[in-house]
Amino acid sequence: MTSPKNDILQGTLALLVLKTLQLVPMHGWGITLHIQQISDQVLRVEEGSLYPALHRMEQEGWVTSQWETTESHRRARYYRLTTTGRKQLKNEEEKWTKLTNAVAQVLNFAPGKA
Amino acid sequence: MSWRQRIRALFNQGKLSADLDEELEFHFAMRKQLNVQDGMSEKEAASAARRQIGNKTQLKEHMREIDLFTFPDTVWQDVRFAFRMLAKHRRFTFTAILALGLGIGVNTAVFTLYRAFLLRPLDANNAKELVNVSCITDQGRYDANFSYPDFESYRDRNHVFSGLIAATADEVTLSDAGGSASSVGKVVGTVATAVGFRMPSVMAGTAEFVSVSLVSDNYFSVLETNPTQGRTFDSDDAHSTTPVVIISENYRRRRFAADPALIGKSVKLNGVAFTVIGISPQDFMGTSLNVPSFWIPLRFQELLHPGDDILHDRENACCRLNGRLLPGVRVNEAQAEMNLLAEQLRSLHAAHSDLSKPLTIQLRPGSPFGRDLDINLRFAIALIMSAVGMILVIACANLASLQLARSAARQSEIGIRISLGASRSRLIRQLLTESALLGIAAGAVSMVITYWVLRLFIVEIAAALPAEWGAFALRVSPDMQIFGYVFAISLLAGVLFGLLPALESSKANLISAIKEESTRFLALTGKNRLRDGLIAVQVAICLVLMINGGLLLRSSIRTLRMDTGYETKHVLSLEVNFPDGFGYTREKEVSEVRALEESLRSLPSVESVSIGRSPAGGGLRSATVTLEGEHPSAENSRILYYNYVQANYFGTLNIPLSLGHGFSMIGAGIDPAAIVSESAARDLWPGRNPVGQKLTLDGGDQFHSKDELLPVRTSYQVVGVAKDTRGVLIDGTDIRKVYLPLPAARLDDRPLLIRTKGDPWLLKDDIGRILSSLDSNMIVNSFTLDDLLRTSPQFVISRCTALFASAAGSLGLLLASIGIYGTVSYAVVRRTREVGIRVALGATKRNVLGLILVESTRPVVLGLLVGIIGAIGVAQLMRAILFGVTTLDAVSYVGVSALFFTIAMLAAYLPARKATRVDPMVALRYE
């Protein structure tokens, strides 16, 4: 159903979304824009993955949602982090750091170097 | 997302879908805007945006899948885990389910029976519209019976009922009916016999008694019930004189082997031919308590009982009335109008009748019970229900203490889970799931138990009733409302007690939870009070149940063994009935009875035959008594119970005469002779010799039947004094008796008492032969006087409640024992380490053992004390039905208390001893 590339992104998608929401509550479109812009267009989030992910995070209790009006007076659903969400974000960040460090270690390994 | 939101999510697909649509619309609009800003045309921007979003339906599907996975995922996890935990502690699980199941099951069964039997409505369609009619006289007397002319007046003049019916129960003989004869003889359920109940057996010729209901013509139409075959009584019948009858399906099956062509056939009731015109539905009871064999129009009552005119006698209150309210008419409106009508009828009644004076009509919701239940019955019922309720309490307390014991063990497990990141709410949820699972399993078990208890009860009762009483149709299935209620209570209790330890332990300090020492001390000190309290409660309640059960049991045994004052085991009582409609006159009846007496005397094992009411038999009659030289007035009116007996009555029943002599040696006195009982003599002539005294008896204004033999201001002279015999009245007033000589011309209407050498039942065949050779139409009820005692109200009530209380007590004992044993022994096991420490520090084994025993049995002793006080209190309440046993019967109290104490001691002693035997080093390392 999902390609391998999407799997990795899905695992990190939660992390990215949580981090995005850490700053300020946002609606789905805002999250998409933010991630795209900050990553210099490298990471593009598909709607097909974002909304299910947001839904799942809401089920798990990491975010809550509320309908509000935007500056342009349209109705949109805003998501914000919960306390559990913040904890989860911390966990995920730690996991990510551990992972990247480990990968870096393996990549930097050269036989003979002390 | 909270639980509630999740559940709502599952059911709210529509709204969620709409929400998602709106959200995606917004996203689409923003994307399109961006595309346009980037330089695409409107159309291009739109289609590009739509492509980005992708297939909306697929998206929604994806969301739904997430819902399904995450919601039950955690719940499913909980359930699986709960299952594993319960399976691991098999003994606990089994005990808990059994205890709770028994508690719920028994409660549901008893309350179902109560509701189904005592609170049931009339057996009719739209029964809610039916009311019972009764009246309260000026004197405060309650009466549910009205005369037929009064019924007609009410029926024709009222504007509040769509129909008013009259009905009365009767017994008639069926003859010449062909078909298979019903089995007569003892039909008693095996369990009922085993616990001491007896039923009189019937010896018959070819005639059979059947129970019928005499009803008004509109009976079936007002009750809105139609016969399954044939027709009901209708107004055409009112003018025709052909006697017609409707047979019940039950009787048709039992007596006529479900003869399909019964309609149109003729049956002889009391010698009169009736045509069967219809069959009432199976188990249809109408306004009666049981299913009558026949329904007969009231119009034909005189055919059945010649000389008895109820159709025109306004003073003969024969029938119960029920009315169906017109739509829109309220009960108080109807009651007001009925009172007006009653007022109008007053002048039509004779001056001496209560109905000529002011009275109040009462309308109550329709019920087969004519009046409020007898106070003794109500008391017994209240007793039974509270006993059953107490079992439930014990079961819940049991469950609670078991869970408490278990939670102490699980504290380390819980602590570890907390340290691994489980949230408190998750933990509580998981424990709740466990309790819920237990509750559901217990509920299933209880349904089975309820079903079997109900079946047992109904089968036994139905088997114990003689066929002549009509069919007993109790349609009882477990009442789901009651079940729901009881189940909810138990579940609540179970969950609560599962929750308490959960809350406690989730608060626990993480470090101390993992370290065993602190855990143990926590279990020793912190929880002690709750655990001890539970044990004490179980012990106390159980004690109350068992002690009172024991008291009742001993009392019911005493009622049989207590000296009755007359011979019971070797005396057979024969009640002879001459069926109406066969042309029996009093002279004929008397001559047949005399012939019977002679024939019976000729039998070899018969020692003596006499005629007279037995001391415990029915037909108790009283009269006002005035002494010689007194003028009857309100102050000196006394009541004495009289009994007409033959001269050899005292010899046959072995009642000794303490003074004077019997009737046969009548002196030359003018007044007829009388013999008084000792207590009557003491009461009437205290301190003086009663022999030779005169007294005047008047039974006219006391209860009696028409044409009955009774003293009407007759004077008697006392010739002898008989020893007291035990009576039937609970307040004991009928030991004050006077025996009057039975005139030779009035041998009818009284039983024959046959004193035999050996077992009276051995004579059954001989007696049967004599009866059939003498007159095959006679119907005879026979039982020994011992059997009769077993039908007396004292015995039945106290035996029933005794059995019940004992059963409840035993059940409670079982539950409490398991709970106490488990909890106490577990607590002691947990102290094994402490024991090791103490021994290592130099305490003697005996000291340690003593300490543990004392501390463990403390709550039990407390429970015993509370329980004994409670038991005394309850026994005081039950004073009225405890015969021959004081409320402080030492045997019961001491016996049961000792039993409990022993159990508790054992529960503490065994593991304590094991702990002291263990090498201290091993104990210290014990986990």
Side-chain angles (χ1 to χ4, degrees), chain B residues 433-454:
Chain B
T433 316
E434 243 181 69
S435 302
L437 268 183
L438 268 179
I440 292 173
V445 168
S446 74
M447 291 295 320
V448 174
I449 291 178
T450 306
Y451 177 73
W452 282 110
V453 167
L454 285 177

Side-chain angles (χ1 to χ4, degrees), chain A residues 1-2 10 27-30 32-33 36 45-64 67 70 72 74-77 79, chain B residues 1-2 5-6 9 15-16 18-20 22-34 49 52-54 59 62-68 70-71 74:
Chain A
M1 194 176 85
T2 45
Q10 208 168 50
H27 48 65
W29 170 248
T32 315
L33 268 188
Q36 213 171 304
V45 183
E46 285 177 8
E47 286 79 343
S49 343
L50 175 65
Y51 285 102
L54 281 170
H55 191 66
R56 185 162 162 276
M57 286 194 274
E58 203 170 358
Q59 293 276 26
E60 293 285 350
W62 300 340
V63 301
T64 55
W67 284 93
T70 65
S72 41
R74 301 171 98 114
R75 233 167 76 94
R77 196 184 214 156
Y79 295 87
Chain B
M1 226 191 194
S2 72
Q5 280 175 304
R6 288 194 209 201
K15 182 164 187 297
L16 291 177
D19 275 350
L20 187 62
E22 194 174 351
E23 204 171 1
L24 290 175
E25 272 306 306
F26 172 73
H27 194 115
F28 167 75
M30 300 302 281
R31 172 75 68 183
K32 187 176 125 190
Q33 201 177 7
L34 189 65
Q52 279 286 102
I53 290 179
L59 203 65
H62 199 171
M63 307 282 253
R64 219 165 287 154
E65 273 169 23
I66 291 177
D67 280 329
L68 278 171
T70 52
F71 174 66
T74 42

Side-chain angles (χ1 to χ4, degrees), chain B residues 797-831:
Chain B
I797 289 178
S798 67
R799 188 45 85 93
C800 274
T801 41
L803 285 174
F804 199 83
S806 305
S810 309
L811 191 61
L813 178 65
L814 183 68
L815 289 174
S817 305
I818 294 173
I820 293 171
Y821 191 93
T823 320
V824 170
S825 70
Y826 192 79
V828 171
V829 164
R830 301 279 295 166
R831 295 174 78 171

Side-chain angles (χ1 to χ4, degrees), chain B residues 314-536:
Chain B
R314 205 173 270 274
E315 306 306 329
N316 186 344
C318 62
C319 311
R320 298 233 320 261
L321 302 189
N322 297 88
R324 184 182 286 280
L325 292 168
L326 279 169
V329 175
R330 283 199 309 274
V331 178
N332 46 0
E333 290 169 23
Q335 202 168 280
E337 172 158 318
M338 288 294 280
N339 271 303
L340 279 174
L341 293 177
E343 191 63 35
Q344 288 173 9
L345 294 176
R346 271 176 61 188
S347 50
L348 297 174
H349 279 274
H352 69 78
S353 157
D354 277 341
L355 298 172
S356 65
K357 308 188 190 72
L359 53 89
T360 334
I361 298 278
Q362 256 191 353
L363 297 181
R364 287 179 314 124
S367 152
F369 293 94
R371 64 175 308 164
D372 288 332
L373 297 169
D374 179 53
I375 188 115
N376 281 316
L377 191 59
R378 267 199 290 196
F379 185 74
I381 290 172
L383 212 68
I384 288 176
M385 303 232 274
S386 34
V388 156
M390 289 207 266
I391 292 185
L392 188 62
V393 174
I394 292 182
C396 290
N398 202 308
L399 190 65
S401 50
L402 286 173
Q403 276 183 324
L404 263 183
R406 232 178 101 224
S407 77
R410 297 180 71 183
Q411 261 192 307
S412 47
E413 170 217 324
I414 289 173
I416 292 174
R417 289 183 72 195
I418 292 177
S419 71
L420 285 181
S423 69
R424 205 172 144 198
S425 58
R426 187 72 201 273
L427 216 66
I428 291 177
R429 219 176 67 196
Q430 192 264 310
L431 287 164
L432 279 178
T433 316
E434 243 181 69
S435 302
L437 268 183
L438 268 179
I440 292 173
V445 168
S446 74
M447 291 295 320
V448 174
I449 291 178
T450 306
Y451 177 73
W452 282 110
V453 167
L454 285 177
R455 248 191 79 162
L456 175 79
F457 187 82
I458 292 172
V459 164
E460 283 298 316
I461 292 283
L465 294 179
E468 298 77 39
W469 291 18
F472 193 70
L474 241 199
R475 280 158 281 176
V476 185
S477 51
D479 187 327
M480 288 324 276
Q481 245 189 4
I482 293 176
F483 172 76
Y485 187 63
V486 177
F487 181 73
I489 292 180
S490 333
L491 200 62
L492 195 70
V495 160
L496 222 84
F497 285 109
L499 206 55
L500 276 172
L503 289 174
E504 286 287 330
S505 39
S506 57
K507 260 191 267 170
N509 188 316
L510 225 54
I511 301 169
S512 60
I514 294 178
K515 281 206 208 154
E516 281 295 90
E517 299 97 309
S518 313
T519 311
R520 201 158 283 129
F521 274 88
L522 203 71
L524 285 179
T525 52
K527 290 273 180 46
N528 246 0
R529 214 162 278 162
L530 186 58
R531 191 184 62 216
D532 287 352
L534 281 173
I535 292 179

Side-chain angles (χ1 to χ4, degrees), chain B residues 613-632:
Chain B
R613 225 194 95 249
S614 65
L620 195 61
R621 295 286 183 267
S622 59
T624 44
V625 60
T626 41
L627 301 179
E628 187 173 19
E630 273 182 2
H631 286 289

